[in-house]
């Protein structure tokens, strides 16, 4: 019989990787809490229309990447391809938008894309959405918060912030018309994808990967010429705030994003360490969506980071978190095992910051020590015949070159207290 395998593009995160995931998630929670953001949890399934209307009918996501299906009542539902639409739906439904709100979410998203390194069909995002602040200071706060997260993860140096403004919907409409006119004159030289997009979503042509299309775009009209005054002021103030904070960015006038709901600020954090899937985080302002979903018109701004890509980046930079326990407990026989089990139980209660693994399944001291070593533990704690008689325990350093110690229970508690403190500092 053939074995079952995970669905293509949907990936198991295995125990040797979860410590890194947990570290990434915990760091995000810490940074978000430090900025006054609260968590929101929305369903994974929503009505298909919710996504189609907000993300845009003619985007890749809605046209060909959604996991949509009729439920038993024949309503069209979709697995969420992103978190912004659901968050806005929930915020309007529960009247969260009466005063400014700062929320975040973390969880799986689904897009039927061609899987490759850094691109999956089930992937995970940490998303942040804010409501009620129209000014660029909200965009600045989001970007500074990203930088804090990157810094805590140790990846700030390998990330570039690409920044653009796509103006008001009206400004964008006139720009779209001018761009379409220009590109129509070069239609035959455009790549196939861009030819198709010319009538449906011409702005997306700006980030075409085709070298010839990019060359044609060199002489195309630029968004800046069509920008409305308010968007321009917004962008200038944002740049000023980022400059003040020493947050460097690259202006990318061709950055338009793959979702249709944005206006004014758009941005992406990219890296040159991950090959083709270079964007680890993207976002911007979407001031129309709340009104579009039936709420009182409310400005909004947010971003989402791809957790798989951050994990890959940290692995590439060898920043994997160490999953090893602090103590690995070995024992000589059944009697010693029983004692060791009680002691392990006690230590876990009294020193909750320590990771304590007890060896199960017996075996010689030699084989137990081999397993202790393999676990990556810092210390082996030994319960042998001698320890049973003396009531003391022996500690052997497995990584550092330190003397073996035989300690009374009082001495042991002092030692474990110090070890716990060290672990917490790390
Ligand atoms: P997005 O650019 O579509 O934006 O996705 C955000 C991030 O999710 C990407 O930069 C990437 O790191 C990750 N990502 C996207 N698709 C995949 C995939 N197939 N496999 C692995 N990672 C992926 C949004 O989703 C917006 N909702 C962001 C936002 C929030 N804008 C305002 N608020």
């Amino acid at each position: 019989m053939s074995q079952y395998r995970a669905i293509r593009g949907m990936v198991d995160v295995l125990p040797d990787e979860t410590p890194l995931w947990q570290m990434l998630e915990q760091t995000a929670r810490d940074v978000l809490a430090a900025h006054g953001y609260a968590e929101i949890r929305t369903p994974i399934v929503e009505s298909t229309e919710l996504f189609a209307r907000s993300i845009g009918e003619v985007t890749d996501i809605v046209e060909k990447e959604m996991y949509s299906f009729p439920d038993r009542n024949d309503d069209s539902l979709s697995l969420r391809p992103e978190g912004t639409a659901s968050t806005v739906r929930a915020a309007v439904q529960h009247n969260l938008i009466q005063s400014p709100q700062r929320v975040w979410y973390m969880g799986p998203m689904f897009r039927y894309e061609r899987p490759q390194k850094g691109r999956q069909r089930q992937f995970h995002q940490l998303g942040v959405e804010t409501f009620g602040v129209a000014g660029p200071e909200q965009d600045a706060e989001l970007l500074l918060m990203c930088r804090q997260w990157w810094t805590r993860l140790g990846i700030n140096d390998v990330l570039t912030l690409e920044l653009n403004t796509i103006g008001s919907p009206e400004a964008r409409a006139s720009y779209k018309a001018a761009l379409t006119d220009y590109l129509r004159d070069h239609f035959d030289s455009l790549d196939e994808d861009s030819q198709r997009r010319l009538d449906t979503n011409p702005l997306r042509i700006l980030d075409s990967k085709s070298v010839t299309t990019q060359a044609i775009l060199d002489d195309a009209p630029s968004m800046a010429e069509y920008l409305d005054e308010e968007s321009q002021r917004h962008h200038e103030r944002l740049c000023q705030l980022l400059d003040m904070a020493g947050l460097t960015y690259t202006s990318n006038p061709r950055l338009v994003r793959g979702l249709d709901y944005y206006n004014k600020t758009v941005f992406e954090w990219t890296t040159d360490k991950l090959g083709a899937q270079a964007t680890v985080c993207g976002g911007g302002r979407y001031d129309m969506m709340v009104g579009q979903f039936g709420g009182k018109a409310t400005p909004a701004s947010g971003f989402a980071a791809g957790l798989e890509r951050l994990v890959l980046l940290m692995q590439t930079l060898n920043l994997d978190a160490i999953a090893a326990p602090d103590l690995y407990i070995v024992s000589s026989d059944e009697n010693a095992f029983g004692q060791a089990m009680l002691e392990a139980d006690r230590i876990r209660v009294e020193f909750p910051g320590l990771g304590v693994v007890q060896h199960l399944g017996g075996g010689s001291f030699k084989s137990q020590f081999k397993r202790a070593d393999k676990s990556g533990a810092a210390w082996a704690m030994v319960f042998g015949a001698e320890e049973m008689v003396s009531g003391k325990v022996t500690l052997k350093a497995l990584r550092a070159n330190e003397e073996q110690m035989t300690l009374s229970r009082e001495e042991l508690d002092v030692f474990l207290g110090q070890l716990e403190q060290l672990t917490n500092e790390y």
Side-chain angles (χ1 to χ4, degrees):
M1 209 177 95
S2 66
Q3 282 182 352
Y4 290 116
R5 301 188 62 86
I7 306 297
R8 186 164 133 82
M10 311 216 173
V11 176
D12 299 308
V13 178
L14 301 178
D16 63 343
E17 268 193 349
T18 45
L20 181 53
W21 279 82
Q22 288 171 350
M23 187 273 232
L24 200 67
E25 292 161 2
Q26 192 50 48
T27 317
R29 287 195 177 94
D30 292 346
V31 170
L32 287 156
H35 288 76
Y37 286 66
E39 185 181 5
I40 185 165
R41 300 185 183 189
T42 62
I44 284 177
V45 177
E46 300 269 359
S47 76
T48 300
E49 193 198 332
L50 180 87
F51 300 118
R53 276 196 61 198
S54 51
I55 297 170
E57 298 276 1
V58 292
T59 55
D60 282 353
I61 297 180
V62 172
E63 269 187 345
K64 50 188 186 198
E65 294 172 2
M66 289 229 284
Y67 280 88
S68 302
F69 57 95
D71 73 357
R72 290 181 188 276
N73 197 29
D74 248 357
D75 294 324
S76 179
L77 306 182
S78 295
L79 303 186
R80 61 181 185 192
E82 57 108 49
T84 309
S86 316
T87 305
V88 173
R89 196 259 317 129
V92 171
Q93 183 178 336
H94 303 287
N95 256 327
L96 299 183
I97 313 189
Q98 285 162 345
S99 54
Q101 282 286 343
R102 298 173 162 100
V103 297
W104 64 271
Y105 49 85
M106 191 147 48
M109 308 290 160
F110 302 84
R111 296 183 193 175
Y112 193 82
E113 295 193 78
R114 199 166 47 79
Q116 54 178 275
K117 184 181 161 200
R119 191 158 80 193
Q120 297 175 188
R121 290 180 174 173
Q122 174 176 329
F123 60 98
H124 296 78
Q125 283 186 348
L126 178 276
V128 173
E129 315 294 352
T130 67
F131 303 104
V133 181
E137 63 272 23
Q138 181 66 77
D139 308 349
E141 177 180 275
L142 290 171
L143 291 167
L144 260 67
M145 189 164 74
C146 286
R147 179 173 66 172
Q148 289 228 7
W149 190 25
W150 312 145
T151 305
R152 290 198 200 187
L153 295 176
I155 56 175
N156 193 46
D157 292 347
V158 297
L159 292 179
T160 303
L161 172 60
E162 297 187 31
L163 190 62
N164 192 22
T165 175
I166 57 171
S168 67
E170 298 75 33
R172 206 159 49 260
S174 358
Y175 174 57
K176 221 184 217 177
L179 182 69
T180 309
D181 280 350
Y182 169 84
L183 290 174
R184 206 175 291 291
D185 291 342
H186 298 82
F187 187 84
D188 293 337
S189 317
L190 293 176
D191 63 284
E192 208 181 306
D193 223 22
S194 299
Q195 287 183 342
R196 190 176 55 79
R197 280 181 165 147
L198 190 59
D199 287 317
T200 55
N201 201 350
L203 290 183
R204 284 292 286 172
I205 298 177
L206 291 175
D207 63 13
S208 158
K209 299 262 184 302
S210 150
V211 180
T212 36
T213 299
Q214 280 299 331
I216 293 169
L217 286 167
D218 285 343
D219 296 320
S222 82
M223 181 73 223
E225 301 162 37
Y226 290 81
L227 211 56
D228 53 296
E229 228 174 87
E230 200 207 317
S231 298
Q232 203 166 344
R233 268 203 309 275
H234 185 102
H235 191 63
E236 277 163 14
R237 175 66 178 153
L238 173 60
C239 292
Q240 195 183 37
L241 288 171
L242 296 180
D243 289 341
M244 257 175 57
L247 206 172
T248 46
Y249 53 86
T250 305
S251 291
N252 178 355
R254 292 185 190 173
L255 180 67
V256 287
R257 311 268 303 124
L259 308 95
D260 277 356
Y261 47 63
Y262 295 105
N263 67 304
K264 294 184 179 160
T265 310
V266 289
F267 59 85
E268 284 184 355
W269 292 88
T270 59
T271 177
D272 59 8
K273 306 278 180 220
L274 289 183
Q277 306 310 313
T279 307
V280 300
C281 177
R285 190 158 269 289
Y286 51 99
D287 294 330
M288 281 79 63
M289 202 194 294
V290 175
Q292 194 190 6
F293 279 13
K296 187 170 138 256
T298 306
S301 181
F303 67 80
L307 298 187
E308 280 78 7
R309 293 186 191 174
L310 290 173
V311 165
L312 271 173
L313 183 57
M314 294 186 67
Q315 287 169 334
T316 307
L317 300 174
N318 289 324
L319 295 172
D320 310 31
I322 301 159
D326 299 293
L327 291 180
Y328 192 99
I329 302 184
V330 302
S331 42
S332 56
D333 56 25
E334 268 183 21
N335 184 23
F337 176 86
Q339 287 267 340
M341 191 174 74
L342 296 182
E343 189 59 6
D345 221 32
R346 181 188 76 85
I347 294 172
R348 292 186 189 113
V349 173
E350 290 184 19
F351 303 94
L354 292 180
V356 182
V357 172
Q358 183 174 15
H359 180 86
L360 304 182
S364 66
F365 258 149
K366 192 171 166 215
S367 68
Q368 292 191 42
F369 268 108
K370 251 192 193 157
R371 290 272 288 277
D373 198 44
K374 222 172 147 198
S375 78
W379 296 87
M381 193 160 140
V382 188
F383 285 77
E386 264 173 54
E387 286 81 7
M388 287 302 97
V389 175
S390 67
K392 296 184 170 183
V393 292
T394 300
L395 281 156
K396 261 181 108 133
L398 296 174
R399 314 278 135 204
N401 203 1
E402 289 191 43
E403 292 271 317
Q404 177 170 317
M405 303 181 283
T406 300
L407 305 177
S408 69
R409 293 299 154 90
E410 290 77 36
E411 290 166 335
L412 176 68
D413 282 3
V414 173
F415 171 79
L416 293 178
Q418 287 166 349
L419 190 62
E420 188 180 38
Q421 215 171 359
L422 268 177
T423 311
N424 285 345
E425 276 168 26
Y426 172 75

